[in-house]
Amino acid sequence: MANRDTTWIERARQVRLLVLDVDGVMTDGRLHLTEDGEEHKIFHSRDGHGIKLIQELGVDVAIITGRSSPAVSRRAKSLGIQHVVLGATDKGQAIEELAQLLEIGLDEIAAMGDDVLDLPMLNRAGLSATVSDAPMVIRSRVDWISPVPGGCGAVRALIDTLIDARDQWGDVLARYR
């Protein structure tokens, strides 16, 4: 895991947008297809709760994925994620377009991906993150590595780390007293 030094913490405090890949990050990366070709995905509930928490703290969340899936669209809608890019062939371009749309700098974006298709997005983000089971070629090129694999709460681990770096746990916990 990358060292969380003062530079990392300062960059985490600047994050205004969290961009997530889906397969291998929000899910375990396995593709479940029925005989009829219907795709099923399994999402972790703590990731979903973490996404809602970070949104309540003023950080927007977006999805950029290389696949097109009705399950992703439904999950995004249920979590209030308004910016969803399906079928992205150039994730670097997609993250730049999101930054322009939201009028924020790339340095204000944290991105989490797990494979080489995600590198253009990860390389442009102010903070890059991956899952513990990502290939070494990805783990060696990011700022932060989740202690858990994709689909097992990796997104929540990143969100908890961002909340901690931003010193916002008091704001979060105040709602649960």
Side-chain angles (χ1 to χ4, degrees):
M1 183 183 311
N3 184 11
R4 289 189 293 165
D5 58 16
T6 54
T7 303
W8 192 95
I9 292 170
E10 283 305 313
R11 288 189 291 154
R13 289 180 179 159
Q14 293 176 24
V15 170
R16 294 176 54 198
L17 175 66
L18 173 60
V19 177
L20 303 168
D21 175 40
V22 176
D23 295 319
V25 172
M26 294 179 73
T27 73
D28 65 9
R30 294 183 291 169
L31 301 176
H32 304 265
L33 301 174
T34 67
E35 289 181 14
D36 298 329
E38 185 178 338
E39 185 176 273
H40 293 222
K41 294 188 182 293
I42 298 173
F43 298 95
H44 202 291
S45 63
R46 280 194 300 266
D47 286 347
H49 189 232
I51 288 168
K52 288 187 173 275
L53 288 176
I54 200 87
Q55 288 171 325
E56 290 170 7
L57 293 172
V59 176
D60 205 356
V61 178
I63 291 173
I64 298 176
T65 179
R67 297 176 51 80
S68 294
S69 167
V72 172
S73 297
R74 283 193 298 276
R75 182 65 171 155
K77 184 176 181 180
S78 73
L79 295 173
I81 299 173
Q82 297 178 359
H83 307 286
V84 180
V85 181
L86 302 174
T89 56
D90 183 343
K91 292 186 178 187
Q93 179 181 344
I95 199 170
E96 287 180 7
E97 290 172 0
L98 270 176
Q100 288 177 349
L101 176 71
L102 298 172
E103 299 179 344
I104 62 173
L106 291 169
D107 60 333
E108 297 175 292
I109 299 176
M112 187 175 218
D114 72 308
D115 212 339
V116 292
L117 180 65
D118 301 315
L119 279 175
M121 172 179 78
L122 296 171
N123 289 337
R124 285 170 174 82
L127 277 177
S128 58
T130 194
V131 295
S132 66
D133 58 332
M136 179 56 74
V137 69
I138 305 303
R139 288 182 286 143
S140 67
R141 287 170 168 76
V142 298
D143 300 309
W144 187 85
I145 302 168
S146 170
V148 295
C152 297
V155 172
R156 177 59 183 269
L158 173 58
I159 289 169
D160 286 357
T161 302
L162 290 172
I163 292 170
D164 187 48
R166 297 159 65 93
D167 197 25
Q168 290 185 299
W169 278 113
D171 298 332
V172 170
L173 297 176
R175 296 181 197 137
Y176 298 96
R177 289 195 178 130

